[in-house]
Amino acid sequence: MQKIRVEDALDSVLIHDMTQIIPGKVKDARFRKGHIIKKEDIPVLLSMGKEHLFVWDQVSGLIHEDEAAIRLGKSVAGPGISLSEPKEGKVNLITVEDGLLYASEDGILALNSLEHIVLATLHNHTPVKKGQKIAGARVVPLMINELIILSAQDVASDFTEPILQVRPLQPKKVGIVITGSEVYNGRIQDKFGPVLHSKVTEWGSVVIGQSYANDNIEMIKAQINEHIANGAEMILVTGGMSVDPDDVTPTAIKESGAEIVTYGAPVLPGAMFLLAYLGDIPIMGLPGCVMYARTTVFDLVVTRILAGERLMRKDIVKYGHGGLCLECKTCVYPNCSFGK
């Protein structure tokens, strides 16, 4: 550090907090450690009785923590993300739209493996809202060797996708097939359809048709094809997903010509979930838990599909780690471990 006159302190960096006392009004830090002295600060400092300051001894090759944090934040922020103003060497990364967070675990690890670099984020595939904080970036020292920041920028640029990005959910036209003889014949009221309508609307998509089918393979196939012919871009088929002899929904989806990605998922609730594709159209077989549980495998998978992914079996299998819902009395998803 060095001691200099206040009048000579322009652009210098404070190395300690400076308290301002206004009797009866305030006693607090007027300038905090790391603050860069500006022209308008000089008369304030003089009014505080400060004629000399202890500031960082400027050394070639070192940069201030605020500048370092900004550069670090910009290096990891992709589409859908903005940066806050730096404060005490940290910037927050903020969403500019609703969507799904995509966070590269490898990229985050690579950056945090660099000395003095800190990047803390929400989990990958977390649903986020506009204005939400999804990460914080900072460096440890007040002044940091610029070479470390350059290394961090190089690490971030080595990845084909931004280390952090928010992908908006793309609206789709959805067709729903409610299966089961008890509903088809009117013996019980359909409770599945209203749940799906609510979820589809919540995600910004629209239900263009809902139909009912008996426990009959040909009828279920016909309903699927009819929705597609009417312009459906996603098909949801409910019921008949277990292993009883009359649970024919998986067979009907397969015989429609769809490619089965997985029948079964290491997620509770939602083990009997099915994902298939007929060309580019995703078809999901939904087990009964989707009707009564607030959050299931369906919520985890469909948001990624709406964000533009074409999922493979490995994507579903990986949900086993974190795939246990704790069935809290009040559901707080996505602010919990489920699906993370």
Side-chain angles (χ1 to χ4, degrees):
M1 65 182 179
Q2 63 179 142
K3 181 180 179 181
I4 61 174
R5 296 172 64 246
V6 167
E7 292 87 349
D8 300 327
L10 189 64
D11 295 328
S12 297
V13 181
L14 287 176
I15 63 168
H16 62 93
D17 291 352
M18 304 201 69
T19 300
Q20 183 181 38
I21 301 175
I22 302 176
K25 293 185 177 181
V26 67
K27 180 183 178 182
D28 197 6
R30 179 63 175 82
F31 301 102
R32 295 196 178 275
K33 180 184 74 171
H35 178 73
I36 300 173
I37 302 299
K38 304 178 180 64
K39 184 177 180 180
E40 59 268 26
D41 298 334
I42 293 175
V44 177
L45 288 163
L46 290 171
S47 74
M48 293 166 57
K50 305 297 182 182
E51 295 185 352
H52 293 83
L53 301 175
F54 288 94
V55 299
W56 191 270
D57 189 5
Q58 297 296 317
V59 178
S60 177
L62 296 183
I63 59 174
H64 184 260
E65 60 179 355
D66 283 351
E67 178 186 346
I70 291 171
R71 289 169 61 173
L72 176 60
K74 287 182 176 179
S75 72
V76 301
I81 299 174
S82 65
L83 268 61
S84 71
E85 291 295 322
K87 182 179 180 181
E88 298 178 353
K90 184 184 76 172
V91 294
N92 293 323
L93 282 73
I94 310 295
T95 61
V96 299
E97 57 188 338
D98 295 354
L100 200 64
L101 173 64
Y102 281 76
S104 167
E105 296 178 39
D106 291 338
I108 295 165
L109 176 61
L111 280 174
N112 284 317
S113 296
L114 297 174
E115 187 178 19
H116 300 321
I117 296 296
V118 174
L119 176 64
T121 80
L122 297 182
H123 281 285
N124 191 24
H125 300 140
T126 297
V128 294
K129 296 292 186 181
K130 180 179 179 180
Q132 183 176 341
K133 178 171 68 174
I134 53 94
R138 70 166 299 160
V139 295
V140 174
L142 176 62
M143 304 292 288
I144 188 170
N145 192 322
E146 186 177 19
L147 293 177
I148 297 176
I149 299 302
L150 290 172
S151 295
Q153 291 172 318
D154 287 342
V155 167
S157 67
D158 285 341
F159 290 84
T160 55
E161 294 280 346
I163 289 178
L164 296 172
Q165 60 179 303
V166 173
R167 298 183 189 175
L169 303 187
Q170 303 297 327
K172 284 188 179 293
K173 300 174 183 177
V174 180
I176 298 174
V177 181
I178 307 292
T179 76
S181 61
E182 67 280 16
V183 178
Y184 179 76
N185 293 314
R187 288 191 288 268
I188 67 171
Q189 182 182 359
D190 170 31
K191 297 290 184 66
F192 226 134
V195 171
L196 295 184
H197 277 261
S198 176
K199 285 182 177 288
V200 167
T201 301
E202 179 184 347
W203 293 320
S205 292
V206 59
V207 176
I208 64 168
Q210 176 177 312
S211 57
Y212 297 89
N214 206 338
D215 296 314
N216 179 281
I217 292 174
E218 294 303 320
M219 184 181 292
I220 297 171
K221 285 168 51 179
Q223 299 287 4
I224 291 173
N225 291 328
E226 183 177 344
H227 286 306
I228 292 175
N230 290 335
E233 300 164 312
M234 176 187 290
I235 303 293
L236 308 177
V237 187
T238 75
M241 292 300 303
S242 190
V243 292
D244 296 336
D246 58 349
D247 289 330
V248 297
T249 299
T251 301
I253 293 174
K254 182 177 181 180
E255 291 191 8
S256 72
E259 174 190 355
I260 304 294
V261 174
T262 183
Y263 174 32
V267 181
L268 297 172
M272 305 309 291
F273 172 80
L274 182 149
L275 173 64
Y277 285 92
L278 186 57
D280 292 327
I281 299 174
I283 301 177
M284 281 169 269
L286 305 181
C289 62
V290 176
M291 179 171 48
Y292 59 81
R294 175 64 182 88
T295 308
T296 68
V297 64
F298 177 48
D299 301 87
L300 304 180
V301 171
V302 74
T303 47
R304 292 177 64 178
I305 291 174
L306 293 174
E309 283 193 79
R310 185 181 179 112
L311 298 180
M312 299 181 291
R313 187 172 186 276
K314 182 179 179 181
D315 296 311
I316 308 300
V317 169
K318 288 176 68 175
Y319 277 122
H321 182 206
L324 177 64
C325 176
L326 297 180
E327 301 178 0
C328 302
K329 186 174 181 180
T330 300
C331 180
V332 296
Y333 178 82
N335 302 314
C336 65
S337 64
F338 184 58
K340 310 295 195 305

